[in-house]
Amino acid sequence: MAAMKPRTGDGPMEVTKEARSLVMRIPLEGGGRLVVELNSEEANNLSAALHAAVALVKK
């Protein structure tokens, strides 16, 4: 019998490429993960939004 491991939100943020999309897994406080499926256009839009947010924080 396989060992049962509790699912936690521990671990790094990760992105994997699947058939026609990218799957991003983000650890959450309190355990668990947020899983988001994106196409390349959505990933580019997210990248631009995150770069803008980082620029605001650096000011």
Side-chain angles (χ1 to χ4, degrees):
M1 181 184 288
M4 297 296 289
K5 294 181 182 175
R7 289 187 171 225
T8 66
D10 295 342
M13 184 182 313
E14 60 186 18
V15 177
T16 57
K17 180 156 177 36
E18 302 216 346
R20 288 188 247 155
S21 62
L22 300 167
V23 177
M24 180 170 53
R25 292 173 181 86
I26 305 168
L28 299 174
E29 279 188 32
R33 291 180 160 283
L34 172 65
V35 179
V36 180
E37 185 174 357
L38 304 159
N39 62 33
S40 60
E41 181 182 351
E42 292 167 331
N44 286 327
N45 291 341
L46 176 60
S47 175
L50 290 173
H51 279 90
V54 169
L56 288 174
V57 171
K58 287 184 177 180
K59 285 186 177 183

